[in-house]
Amino acid sequence: MYVTTDAGAPWLIVGLGNPGPEYAANRHNVGFMVAELLAERVGGRFKRAGKAQAQVVEGRIGPPGPANRRVVLAKPMSYMNLSGGPVNALKDFYKVPVANIVAVHDELDIDYGVLRLKLGGGDNGHNGLKSMTKVMGPDYHRVRFGIGRPPGRMQVADFVLKDFSSAERKELGYFVDRAADAVECLVIDGLERAQSTYNS
């Protein structure tokens, strides 16, 4: 199903993760990492968003002119499995159509550092997506950041709540930067262009 976006409406870019310093470097928090880099790019600092249980940065991305987009960058301050409530509150407050929402999240079924962009679909067991879909349906964009599968018999829950390995951290900055580029391309140029450029 193809859903058209509203060119005049703002975009809500949601980095999924868990709040608190003990989670900051976890694989499950790569969405926060991408959102924080995008906030640096627009020159903003995250602040509490009114009554919504989230932190936000408002800004613009893209060149001057018709391709310039108003964006709201968000980090839900609920835990991952409750992300839908804060995201839905921000959607309503900023009057963002569901098709202008982008969830940036970790993805187990993709190799480390590989990106996949898509619109809609299932949650693939990801609790943040499951919570978002429950409150507003599945028709939002996803930027899926591959973290790979756990080694050996390690449980998925343990794997996603561990920090990236020392080997992974050597390339993490590059991959987070590339994911931020992909978000900008999606918002400015559309899904098809972003997929052809970043779906490696």
Side-chain angles (χ1 to χ4, degrees):
M1 183 172 81
Y2 180 72
V3 179
T4 57
T5 57
D6 181 345
W11 284 75
L12 177 58
I13 299 163
V14 181
L16 292 177
N18 286 307
E22 67 271 35
Y23 299 106
N26 288 180
R27 293 182 177 93
H28 221 20
N29 269 45
V30 74
F32 272 21
M33 297 174 197
V34 175
E36 286 158 3
L37 178 56
L38 287 164
E40 281 181 36
R41 291 184 180 184
V42 303
R45 296 182 65 175
F46 279 98
K47 62 185 180 189
R48 184 121 186 146
K51 294 180 180 177
Q53 199 178 358
Q55 292 183 352
V56 299
V57 169
E58 296 180 51
R60 302 191 79 89
I61 62 174
N68 192 258
R69 301 281 184 262
R70 181 180 165 219
V71 296
V72 179
L73 309 172
K75 297 190 298 182
M77 291 288 110
S78 59
Y79 285 91
M80 180 70 87
N81 61 349
L82 300 172
S83 299
V87 174
N88 199 47
L90 293 171
K91 170 183 76 72
D92 291 346
F93 180 78
Y94 289 103
K95 298 179 171 56
V96 180
V98 172
N100 280 31
I101 296 174
V102 183
V104 185
H105 64 92
D106 56 305
E107 178 62 63
L108 287 159
D109 286 339
I110 303 174
D111 290 340
Y112 173 61
V114 173
L115 295 177
R116 291 283 187 275
L117 287 78
K118 70 174 187 173
L119 174 66
D123 57 59
N124 204 24
H126 192 288
N127 287 331
L129 298 181
K130 192 176 296 183
S131 178
M132 286 179 61
T133 297
K134 184 177 179 180
V135 295
M136 55 190 194
D139 296 324
Y140 52 91
H141 289 84
R142 298 100 188 276
V143 174
R144 305 156 72 205
F145 186 111
I147 60 169
R149 280 270 163 192
R153 297 185 177 185
M154 184 186 289
Q155 295 295 312
V156 164
D158 295 331
F159 179 69
V160 298
L161 293 176
K162 284 195 182 307
D163 292 358
F164 286 100
S165 69
S166 56
E168 288 169 335
R169 284 197 297 272
K170 290 176 182 174
E171 294 183 293
L172 182 60
Y174 168 76
F175 289 139
V176 168
D177 194 67
R178 192 165 182 271
D181 290 346
V183 171
E184 291 182 343
C185 183
L186 167 62
V187 170
I188 297 165
D189 297 318
L191 179 61
E192 193 174 325
R193 171 72 66 85
Q195 285 176 323
S196 66
T197 306
Y198 293 98
N199 276 18
S200 47

